[in-house]
Amino acid sequence: MNSLRFNAISKLSNIGVKVDATKKITAVFNENVFTLQIARQYLSDEAYKSLNASVKSGKKIDRSMGNQIANGLRAWAESKGVSHFTHWFQPLTGLSAEKHDSFFTLKGDGTPIEEFEGGALIQQEPDASSFPNGGLRATFEARGYTAWDPSSPAFIMEIGEGKTLCIPTIFISYTGESLDTKTPLIKALVALDKAAVDVCQYFDKNVSKVTSTLGWEQEYFVVDAGLATARQDLTLTGRTVYGHAPAKGQQLEDHYFGAIPERVYAFMRDFEQESYKLGIPLRTRHNEVAPAQFECAPIFEEANLAVDHNTLLMDVMTRVAKRHNLVVLLHEKPFAGINGSGKHNNWSMSTDTGVNLLGPGKTPKTNLMFLTFFVNTIKAVHEYADLMRATIASAGNDHRLGANEAPPAIISIFIGKYLTDVLEEVEKRVGDKFDEQDEAILKLDIHKSIPELMLDNTDRNRTSPFAFTGNKFEFRAVGSSANCATPMMTLNTIMAQTLQDFKAEVDGLIEKGEKKEVAIMEVIKKYIVASKASLFEGDGYSEAWEKEAEKRGLANVKTTPLALDAFVTERAKKLFEANNIFTHAELEARHEIMLEDYVKKVQIEARVMGDLASTSILPAAIKYQNTLITNIVGLKEAGLPEKTYANQKQILEKLSEHINIISDEVEKMIEARKVANEIADVRKRAIAYCDEVKGKYFDSIRYNVDKLELMVDDNYWPLPKYRELLFLR
Ligand code: ADP
Ligand code: MG
């Protein structure tokens, strides 16, 4: 046998590559990052002060300091053997992008020198015409700018023996429209800061900055690289488009928190080392529910930095896996029939006075502050549930949401029993006024009980897409391959808007002569009533919830093309414009890019399905068909009675049936694609790909192929099977 599948199996080895991870984490942490401490050593007082101010305030770098800072950066990088630098940005491809330049240059008289000018540090002009722009640059020159984001520190990326100085940047068009995920995120963080600081003034005049915090949890699968390479679908789409469930799946639940296989363990230690050098504060690692599925999570950080670190981590993991002859699958649903992967986004806000705004307080006053931010979050998510749904929409995540294993496409909020009681207590007061005496609620001893109560609840509330977990909300419906910037941008924007509305209402009541605490309590009460429909404590995976949610008027949009509509409603345009995140043109461009992305992904999957069926699956099935025919004819010619080959005939009939259906449906799917491709309107094209191509053919072709997998001689089957991908390590 010389198929890729059997070659890969014969080369499997479960011995991990040696990894030297003996150093303490603190000894390598930030080794490749230009931290402020390092900057202090390499910069003049003046330059350091300027950099420090920009990092802390988010202000632009003073141009006159650019050269000095660039020189310091270069000196540091060269001391580590770096010869090239790049602006590192996150265009709307979902990946990170780089364009490397060397420090090397020739002076006018031909003298070769190394140099790094302030201009090159602060701004670059990559040829951006090949990045998605949704028509934004079509009428202009295909020019884009990358501009340094000093709030995320420069770092050195090591690839093999090569080392590159990476400058995190935003990426915008010639006319200033954002072409990346970072720019709108930073704008949303500014909006949140302003709105939250304003509301904090009710409680503490010393608060002058509020940062949004993010702690992501990255789920992923690991498979042998040889086996993965033998599957075109894994290589080109990141998921298996065919594959019958193995005899053993995740039903024994023996993988979760089980011992990590040695080879994967070596890989983990290796990518963790690389991550520590880059300042990614990884903290936990463990097995996940499905076989071959794992998770890692860092200590939370300021959201912009946390997003950069997650993007970097996905890149580091992918590269390090190669050293171990492994492949990391970040797709939301690499395997049918077993759990997919998500990326929980743990989110909160904290003040420059050191207070976590979603941390229950210790005194009546801080309790009111907690309740304010807690209820505003609930209100924001309830009011803008459509945007929350849109922000996690992707071709990959469509397989997960609502597939009875992941949070459904219905956006609901879990807050736990104790806080439900608190809110009900507040709500009961509808109609009556809170007066000075009525401080029962303010005095609720929230802080003591919540952490313990939340611990009890963590397992049960796994089914909620947005859950309060004691001192933060956890947005669980985010896909594993997503760039967290988009959901974080959305969440922080709707929060900023809701806090502004809240303040306007409270101020209105105060102007009418209401006492501050009473006014705040009144608006909180109103918000609880208004957003109650989104609060749900039950099993989010159940059918009963779908029905109940419908009764409550909650949306349940199951597919990406329709979910994305929420980004371009009049309301969304107003929201994003008012908060200075997107102009209408930017929003429409982004909408178009996301639809295009969806079309391309489904189109590629459809092609891969057709190609695999025609060139691998059907030939294998026909080969087996021939074996059966030879056998039957032989038995018949030998003069044996019909009953000796009756079974073979039956198998042959079934086999031929599946073969015919597959080749038929593949033809029809190709036709449906042609029709879809002709549709000029991208939204309609996306819907056609969703309903007419994927919806009509993917499942039925797969069903028949998977049936063949159970019938055809194992020696003929070309694709590595699930049991091999998931259990051989
Ligand atoms: P889980 O039970 O979900 O694993 P953990 O307490 O381990 O909960 O936290 C998961 C993630 O939440 C970690 O990345 C952690 O750093 C992050 N996290 C904790 N507190 C906050 C916060 N205030 N803001 C944002 N993320 C947080
Ligand atoms: Mg979690």
Side-chain angles (χ1 to χ4, degrees):
M1 266 159 297
N2 57 2
S3 79
L4 282 171
R5 175 183 165 212
F6 291 102
N7 264 334
I9 292 171
S10 71
K11 289 208 183 98
L12 265 176
S13 126
N14 61 359
I15 297 162
V17 177
K18 272 248 170 314
V19 177
D20 177 23
T22 46
K23 280 191 200 154
K24 268 187 159 172
I25 295 170
T26 46
V28 288
F29 192 69
N30 270 335
E31 188 177 291
N32 286 346
V33 183
F34 194 67
T35 59
L36 281 173
Q37 288 95 306
I38 296 287
R40 192 77 203 83
Q41 295 168 34
Y42 281 87
L43 300 181
S44 68
D45 282 353
E46 198 183 24
Y48 173 75
K49 266 192 204 136
S50 163
L51 177 66
N52 194 22
S54 293
V55 170
K56 302 237 156 98
S57 70
K59 279 202 203 93
K60 278 201 186 111
I61 286 283
D62 184 357
R63 287 226 163 219
S64 62
M65 286 298 124
N67 277 338
Q68 281 200 41
I69 297 174
N71 272 330
L73 254 173
R74 177 168 64 87
W76 169 70
E78 282 178 347
S79 77
K80 294 186 160 281
V82 174
S83 57
H84 284 64
F85 71 94
T86 180
H87 276 195
W88 180 82
F89 55 104
Q90 296 160 65
L92 297 169
T93 50
L95 307 165
S96 57
E98 316 162 358
K99 175 186 161 245
H100 297 202
D101 278 311
S102 68
F103 295 135
F104 169 78
T105 187
L106 291 175
K107 280 291 179 200
D109 63 358
T111 319
I113 62 155
E114 331 265 21
E115 121 186 314
F116 186 34
E117 289 190 331
L121 164 66
I122 292 170
Q123 192 168 311
Q124 288 270 85
E125 217 178 294
D127 172 22
S129 50
S130 49
F131 295 110
N133 61 74
L136 271 179
R137 271 174 295 129
T139 50
F140 306 100
E141 297 164 79
R143 266 204 280 174
Y145 288 111
T146 50
W148 185 22
D149 162 25
S151 61
S152 182
F155 57 90
I156 295 169
M157 183 65 111
E158 295 180 44
I159 300 181
E161 298 294 301
K163 293 181 176 184
T164 308
L165 173 65
C166 298
I167 317 287
T169 60
I170 58 165
F171 180 42
I172 54 176
S173 77
Y174 181 62
T175 41
E177 286 97 354
S178 57
L179 296 171
D180 66 349
T181 48
K182 190 193 257 285
T183 309
L185 172 66
I186 292 177
K187 289 177 172 178
L189 295 174
V190 170
L192 176 85
D193 176 20
K194 166 108 189 35
V197 166
D198 284 352
V199 169
C200 281
Q201 299 307 302
Y202 290 137
F203 311 100
D204 183 356
K205 298 268 183 246
N206 294 319
V207 173
S208 62
K209 186 165 174 64
V210 170
T211 42
S212 163
T213 50
L214 164 65
W216 39 262
E217 300 166 56
Q218 179 73 54
E219 290 183 334
Y220 59 94
F221 280 83
V222 177
V223 297
D224 177 79
L227 291 171
T229 319
R231 294 200 55 136
Q232 192 194 133
D233 49 0
L234 276 181
T235 317
L236 298 183
T237 73
R239 76 176 182 101
T240 55
V241 295
Y242 302 131
H244 199 281
K248 178 187 170 196
Q250 63 190 50
Q251 66 273 61
L252 296 178
E253 296 179 338
D254 52 355
H255 185 63
Y256 196 48
F257 285 131
I260 297 167
E262 185 173 334
R263 193 173 162 204
V264 178
Y265 185 51
F267 158 65
M268 284 177 171
R269 288 187 308 157
D270 203 357
F271 85 70
E272 283 168 359
Q273 283 287 307
E274 296 295 331
S275 303
Y276 292 139
K277 286 193 214 163
L278 292 165
I280 305 171
L282 288 180
R283 179 100 187 272
T284 55
R285 57 159 106 102
H286 61 81
N287 289 355
E288 261 305 323
V289 178
Q293 192 187 27
F294 306 90
E295 179 188 293
C296 65
I299 298 164
F300 70 93
E301 301 175 279
E302 182 277 321
N304 178 35
L305 188 59
V307 168
D308 282 359
H309 280 164
N310 180 247
T311 308
L312 263 177
L313 174 93
M314 293 195 283
D315 190 39
V316 167
M317 284 171 91
T318 306
R319 278 189 294 103
V320 172
K322 287 199 185 115
R323 295 211 276 263
H324 297 257
N325 201 31
L326 292 167
V327 166
V328 169
L329 304 175
L330 294 165
H331 193 282
E332 283 75 13
K333 190 76 180 173
F335 303 99
I338 53 179
N339 279 8
S341 300
K343 178 150 56 200
H344 296 179
N345 278 206
N346 294 272
W347 169 87
S348 188
M349 295 151 287
S350 70
T351 67
D352 55 351
T353 53
V355 175
N356 173 4
L357 291 171
L358 291 174
K362 290 191 171 64
T363 62
K365 199 168 139 209
T366 48
N367 267 350
L368 186 56
M369 177 149 99
F370 160 72
L371 210 55
T372 296
F373 282 90
F374 178 67
V375 170
N376 269 279
T377 308
I378 294 171
K379 176 77 164 19
V381 173
H382 172 74
E383 282 295 311
Y384 297 100
D386 62 336
L387 280 176
M388 291 291 278
R389 170 67 186 94
T391 202
I392 48 160
S394 70
N397 220 12
D398 275 5
H399 293 284
R400 219 180 126 241
L401 300 178
N404 287 348
E405 51 156 278
I410 307 159
I411 301 292
S412 67
I413 307 164
F414 172 94
I415 57 171
K417 173 148 182 7
Y418 188 79
L419 283 164
T420 303
D421 290 348
V422 171
L423 295 196
E424 270 167 13
E425 200 47 43
V426 177
E427 195 203 334
K428 267 195 219 140
R429 316 289 170 114
V430 181
D432 24 298
K433 284 264 173 203
F434 287 95
D435 54 34
E436 272 172 73
Q437 270 71 41
D438 191 1
E439 285 194 332
I441 294 199
L442 305 190
K443 287 213 175 110
L444 276 174
D445 203 8
I446 297 178
H447 66 286
K448 273 194 207 135
S449 336
I450 290 178
E452 299 139 45
L453 286 160
M454 285 336 269
L455 273 184
D456 288 350
N457 285 329
T458 34
D459 261 351
R460 195 155 49 80
N461 69 23
R462 271 174 181 279
T463 64
S464 175
F466 195 78
F468 186 70
T469 46
N471 56 2
K472 60 193 185 280
F473 274 98
E474 190 166 332
F475 190 12
R476 296 193 173 123
V478 182
S480 50
S481 71
N483 185 312
C484 309
T486 304
M488 283 296 107
M489 175 277 293
T490 302
L491 186 53
N492 286 297
T493 304
I494 63 176
M495 191 61 190
Q497 183 61 54
T498 306
L499 288 170
Q500 288 160 37
D501 297 344
F502 178 81
K503 184 170 156 43
E505 293 204 51
V506 171
D507 286 352
L509 291 176
I510 293 174
E511 267 165 39
K512 281 190 196 146
E514 201 65 272
K515 192 170 171 274
K516 184 176 77 184
E517 279 78 13
V518 175
I520 290 171
M521 221 48 206
E522 283 301 319
V523 182
I524 285 181
K525 193 172 75 180
K526 185 174 152 191
Y527 279 16
I528 293 171
V529 176
S531 32
K532 229 185 145 188
S534 289
L535 295 176
F536 178 63
E537 302 287 306
D539 180 3
Y541 298 176
S542 68
E543 246 177 72
W545 169 231
E546 283 206 37
K547 288 196 186 118
E548 163 72 14
E550 200 183 334
K551 262 195 237 152
R552 294 190 190 187
L554 301 180
N556 184 6
V557 187
K558 297 200 173 176
T559 62
T560 292
L562 297 179
L564 290 176
D565 284 348
F567 273 126
V568 287
T569 60
E570 283 311 308
R571 212 162 143 261
K573 284 180 183 168
K574 233 175 97 188
L575 167 81
F576 285 118
E577 191 178 51
N579 288 285
N580 191 29
I581 317 290
F582 293 121
T583 61
H584 293 193
E586 283 176 302
L587 209 48
E588 254 147 29
R590 210 155 276 245
H591 182 230
E592 191 179 312
I593 291 167
M594 290 186 283
L595 287 168
E596 287 282 3
D597 181 71
Y598 178 85
V599 167
K600 281 181 200 150
K601 295 226 162 98
V602 179
Q603 187 179 47
I604 292 169
E605 288 188 352
R607 285 183 187 148
V608 168
M609 285 185 91
D611 194 38
L612 273 180
S614 309
T615 65
S616 296
I617 308 293
L618 291 179
I622 290 166
K623 212 161 135 190
Y624 185 53
Q625 199 180 30
N626 286 335
T627 312
L628 288 169
I629 292 169
T630 312
N631 175 271
I632 294 166
V633 171
L635 289 169
K636 208 168 173 178
E637 274 176 6
L640 291 162
E642 175 139 10
K643 67 171 191 227
T644 55
Y645 51 85
N647 275 339
Q648 288 89 315
K649 261 177 84 176
Q650 245 179 33
I651 298 172
L652 184 60
E653 233 180 287
K654 264 269 151 235
L655 191 76
S656 309
E657 215 174 277
H658 291 304
I659 290 174
N660 287 335
I661 295 176
I662 292 168
S663 79
D664 233 43
E665 301 246 295
V666 165
E667 277 313 305
K668 286 193 206 146
M669 178 174 73
I670 293 171
E671 280 313 307
R673 234 159 57 211
K674 281 186 191 156
V675 174
N677 290 340
E678 292 300 311
I679 302 172
D681 178 87
V682 64
R683 179 177 175 274
K684 289 190 182 135
R685 196 173 346 121
I687 292 173
Y689 261 98
C690 180
D691 297 345
E692 303 301 320
V693 180
K694 180 180 177 225
K696 280 210 178 123
Y697 299 107
F698 278 24
D699 282 352
S700 67
I701 295 175
R702 178 177 191 138
Y703 173 83
N704 286 283
V705 169
D706 291 355
K707 282 282 173 217
L708 283 181
E709 188 183 319
L710 291 184
M711 305 175 78
V712 171
D713 182 345
D714 188 47
N715 290 314
Y716 293 165
W717 197 254
L719 304 178
K721 295 185 171 180
Y722 270 26
R723 61 165 190 263
E724 291 149 0
L725 291 165
L726 295 169
F727 292 100
L728 297 182
R729 306 186 189 108

